[in-house]
Amino acid sequence: VGEAALHNVLVERDNNGIYSDLDDLCRRADPGSVNKRVLEALIRSGAADALGPNRASLWNYLGDALHGADQYHRDLAAGQVDLFGLEANDAAASETTGAGSGMPFVPAWTDRKRLQAEKETLGLYLTGHPINEYLNELGKFTHGRLKQLCGKAGTGDSGPSYRQRGVPVIAAGLVMAIRFRDIQGRKMAFVTLDDKSARLEVVLNGELIDNSAHMIVKDDVLIVDGDISPDEFNGGFKIRAREIYDIAQARARFARRLVISLRSEHIREQGLSKLVDMLSNYKSGTTPVCFDYTNGQASARIKAGLQWAVDPGPELLHSLSELTGEGSVELVY
């Protein structure tokens, strides 16, 4: 955002007190150095978290706050600002909104969007890690966290010893770096995975790169089925991949069934028809669907026919959770 802009914000705060809300920051900051781009970066990075209910609300309200600050400075230049009236208006806004301004509340960004904004503005994830969302699920079909897979013999860590070569594993992590090289006429790709416990390099070559390069996306989760062995060149371990999957493909490959918990109220008021319509849009997959149904008097597991097997992508899982309630949808591995 530039040193001059930050210097202006900090000196003003030190000299005249903390900023009470986003309107206060926009009015007091120097518009010549603290422009909209700077304020967007402060919101996306989390630096302005204390000035509103959440980053989504701050982001949504920024245009109004800047417009109000611009009007304030024009009135100030014309000698038309009534400081007592301004304070009264702020107090009234605080009473009606619970904040120091008329900022409307907007639901918070998803964890993924919040963390991505932090990475883009700071170069790192500050308030979490994108893989947290998937750790429980990944543990059901991988051979463990990367730190476990990279354990060294004699250290007490579980993992392949340095004497072992080509141990089959399924591993997963966030794609942190991608390098493509030609070695003796062979196309090679080197992908660095991170799962917050450790980092590991994955080696791909030949046909696998041609068929699967579109799945190797920085900051996305990648699942690797391959052989782990010591990396004698860089130290540590590396995996030579046989197959790679994104999270949706891994679900389709490893999940044994999709279980939807239903209560009697879910099938009232056309709820059942909505569920049928939703599943109809995804029934071109291979994952069987089961319903755990209860009506208060009895419970039963109902298996849908094979023609209802679905592709359990994130859109379907999210839509089902919204329809049947949080915690009612489970992929069984």
Side-chain angles (χ1 to χ4, degrees):
V1 300
E3 185 176 354
L6 292 181
H7 180 74
N8 174 264
V9 169
L10 296 175
V11 168
E12 169 62 25
R13 184 186 65 185
D14 293 341
N15 290 342
N16 298 305
I18 63 172
Y19 301 105
S20 59
D21 52 50
L22 187 60
D23 286 302
D24 191 32
L25 171 61
C26 291
R27 284 196 299 262
R28 290 166 55 187
D30 174 22
S33 59
V34 184
N35 56 27
K36 184 178 182 181
R37 183 184 61 82
V38 169
L39 291 163
E40 287 177 342
L42 293 177
I43 292 171
R44 287 164 57 82
S45 67
D49 279 0
L51 304 182
N54 57 50
R55 296 178 199 178
S57 298
L58 289 165
W59 183 269
N60 182 67
Y61 184 66
L62 179 58
D64 290 339
L66 286 170
H67 179 75
D70 183 56
Q71 183 63 51
Y72 168 78
H73 286 294
R74 286 201 302 269
D75 292 346
L76 187 65
Q80 295 177 2
V81 172
D82 181 350
L83 293 179
F84 295 102
L86 183 64
E87 292 176 358
N89 288 338
D90 278 352
S94 179
E95 291 177 2
T96 58
T97 67
S101 71
M103 182 186 304
F105 178 83
V106 173
W109 286 339
T110 63
D111 288 348
R112 174 180 287 271
K113 184 172 182 178
R114 186 189 75 250
L115 292 170
Q116 188 62 39
E118 291 176 1
K119 180 72 179 296
E120 290 172 358
T121 52
L122 299 170
L124 52 85
Y125 300 114
L126 186 66
T127 59
H129 194 287
I131 205 162
N132 288 348
E133 177 183 353
Y134 303 102
L135 281 179
N136 182 58
E137 184 177 4
L138 292 173
K140 296 176 181 179
F141 58 84
T142 66
H143 287 93
R145 303 287 292 275
L146 296 183
K147 183 177 181 180
Q148 295 172 298
L149 298 179
C150 297
K152 298 179 182 178
T155 65
D157 293 336
S158 60
S161 90
Y162 276 119
R163 295 186 299 275
Q164 292 177 305
R165 294 180 178 275
V167 179
V169 295
I170 298 173
L174 207 70
V175 176
M176 304 304 295
I178 310 163
R179 293 180 292 119
F180 291 96
R181 293 178 59 188
D182 282 329
I183 300 178
Q184 296 179 345
R186 294 167 50 197
K187 187 186 300 182
M188 306 281 289
F190 301 87
V191 180
T192 302
L193 297 185
D194 182 300
D195 74 344
K196 205 171 62 168
S197 74
R199 289 193 174 188
L200 185 70
E201 187 168 79
V202 176
V203 182
L204 302 89
N205 53 35
E207 189 176 338
L208 185 57
I209 298 175
D210 295 333
N211 295 337
S212 308
H214 64 281
M215 286 189 289
I216 308 172
V217 179
K218 200 169 181 181
D219 296 321
D220 275 5
V221 173
L222 187 70
I223 295 89
V224 180
D225 184 346
D227 298 323
I228 189 169
S229 60
D231 187 339
E232 297 174 354
F233 183 76
N234 294 317
F237 286 83
K238 64 182 177 183
I239 295 178
R240 190 168 295 275
R242 287 189 300 268
E243 298 288 343
I244 62 174
Y245 311 93
D246 60 23
I247 190 67
Q249 291 172 324
R251 286 168 174 163
R253 166 68 176 80
F254 298 108
R256 290 189 294 158
R257 58 184 175 272
L258 173 65
V259 179
I260 305 169
S261 296
L262 292 175
R263 298 185 302 276
S264 55
E265 54 265 32
H266 290 144
I267 64 174
R268 297 175 187 154
E269 298 179 2
Q270 298 185 329
L272 184 59
S273 62
K274 291 179 181 178
L275 180 61
V276 169
D277 290 343
M278 188 178 297
L279 291 173
S280 297
N281 294 327
Y282 295 89
K283 65 175 187 177
S284 59
T286 58
T287 304
V289 176
C290 296
F291 302 97
D292 281 348
Y293 175 74
T294 181
N295 62 6
Q297 296 177 321
S299 300
R301 169 160 289 187
I302 304 167
K303 295 181 179 180
L306 292 179
Q307 70 271 25
W308 289 94
V310 297
D311 179 9
E315 298 86 0
L316 173 61
L317 299 181
H318 177 72
S319 298
L320 287 171
S321 293
E322 284 194 330
L323 181 64
T324 60
E326 191 71 28
S328 64
V329 180
E330 180 187 9
L331 278 169
V332 178
Y333 292 92

